């Protein structure tokens, strides 16, 4: 199994920045890709950004140019650098790991962007 723990959420003004972290433990050797999803009140969970074990990345159109996903394999941690935040970025952000054993989710971290 894989355990995921997110951190770094909080309250920020529009135009500000936050960095989210997701620390993975357990069967990390089985992880193929990791990603960040978000879910705003009343909306479905959506993919924000993902990164494969080889370092390939993809982003939702709404965050391209503003968010950057990266990973530190030595620390088994994935980051999401969020710049130029907008009120519409307000959501609970979840870390996801896609592994050979299945998909795993963290508990989420709340990001609130005030206007």
């Amino acid at each position: 199994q894989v355990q995921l723990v997110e951190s770094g959420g909080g309250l920020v003004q529009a135009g500000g920045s936050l960095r989210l972290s997701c620390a993975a433990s357990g069967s990390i050797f089985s992880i193929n890709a990791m990603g960040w999803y978000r879910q705003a009140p009343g909306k479905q969970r959506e993919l924000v950004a993902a990164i494969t074990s080889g370092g390939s990345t993809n982003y939702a159109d709404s965050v391209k140019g503003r968010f950057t996903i990266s990973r530190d394999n030595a620390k088994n941690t994935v980051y999401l650098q969020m710049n130029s935040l907008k009120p519409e970025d307000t959501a609970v952000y979840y870390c996801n790991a896609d592994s050979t054993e299945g998909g795993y989710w963290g508990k989420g971290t709340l990001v609130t962007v005030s206007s």
Side-chain angles (χ1 to χ4, degrees):
Q1 291 195 348
V2 175
Q3 294 79 44
L4 304 172
V5 178
E6 304 103 332
S7 61
L11 174 64
V12 63
Q13 289 188 333
S17 299
L18 282 174
R19 189 177 81 156
L20 305 182
S21 299
C22 173
S25 61
S27 301
I28 55 175
F29 58 88
S30 68
I31 297 175
N32 296 315
M34 295 186 69
W36 287 95
Y37 289 71
R38 67 186 180 188
Q39 188 166 18
K43 295 188 176 181
Q44 290 188 332
R45 191 172 298 189
E46 63 176 0
L47 175 67
V48 177
I51 185 167
T52 68
S53 56
S56 297
T57 59
N58 67 287
Y59 297 90
D61 287 343
S62 59
V63 306
K64 283 181 180 177
R66 299 189 299 123
F67 291 11
T68 302
I69 189 169
S70 62
R71 63 193 296 167
D72 184 333
N73 291 329
K75 296 182 178 180
N76 300 320
T77 300
V78 171
Y79 303 98
L80 185 68
Q81 179 66 43
M82 305 186 294
N83 299 328
S84 302
L85 283 160
K86 304 175 181 179
E88 50 264 44
D89 294 318
T90 294
V92 177
Y93 284 71
Y94 296 91
C95 181
N96 172 266
D98 175 49
S99 80
T100 57
E101 300 176 347
Y104 295 92
W105 294 92
K107 293 183 178 181
T109 185
L110 177 63
V111 172
T112 304
V113 184
S114 62
S115 57

